[in-house]
Amino acid sequence: QVQLVESGGGLVEAGGSLRLSCAASGSIFSIVTMGWYRQAPGKQRELVAVITSGGSTNYADSVKGRFAISRDNAKNTVYLQMNSLKPEDTAVYYCNLKDYRVFWGQGTQVTVSS
């Protein structure tokens, strides 16, 4: 089993920044993709950003140029630096880990006030 523990959410004004962290523990294989998804009220969960074990990244168009995903393989931790936040970024953000299995974190609330 794998456990994902997220931290770093909160309330911020539009234009501000937040940094999310997700630490993975348990039976983790070396070749995994980690990422962040978000779900706003009344909407489907959507991809925000993912990063492979080799460091390749993919971003949603809506966050390109504002968000940056990174990882520390030694710590099994993935980060999401969110800059220039907008009210439409308000959502619950979920950490995700994939090898041949899929695991989710419990989610952390990000609220951006206008």
Side-chain angles (χ1 to χ4, degrees):
Q1 269 292 358
V2 172
Q3 294 78 42
L4 301 174
V5 179
E6 300 134 335
S7 60
L11 173 64
V12 65
E13 292 184 351
S17 299
L18 285 174
R19 188 190 193 211
L20 305 182
S21 299
C22 173
S25 61
S27 300
I28 302 169
F29 292 87
S30 59
I31 303 176
V32 297
T33 295
M34 297 185 74
W36 293 92
Y37 290 69
R38 67 187 181 187
Q39 187 166 18
K43 295 187 177 181
Q44 291 188 330
R45 191 173 297 188
E46 63 177 3
L47 179 145
V48 177
V50 293
I51 184 168
T52 69
S53 56
S56 297
T57 59
N58 187 37
Y59 294 91
D61 288 342
S62 59
V63 307
K64 284 180 181 177
R66 301 187 297 122
F67 291 10
I69 190 170
S70 61
R71 65 190 286 170
D72 184 334
N73 289 332
K75 296 181 179 179
N76 290 322
T77 299
V78 64
Y79 305 95
L80 185 68
Q81 178 66 44
M82 304 185 293
N83 299 325
S84 302
L85 283 161
K86 303 175 180 180
E88 51 263 44
D89 295 316
T90 295
V92 178
Y93 284 68
Y94 295 92
C95 179
N96 172 275
L97 182 151
K98 296 178 183 177
D99 45 28
Y100 67 95
R101 307 160 294 176
V102 179
F103 296 97
W104 293 95
Q106 79 283 359
T108 185
Q109 178 70 46
V110 171
T111 302
V112 184
S113 63
S114 57

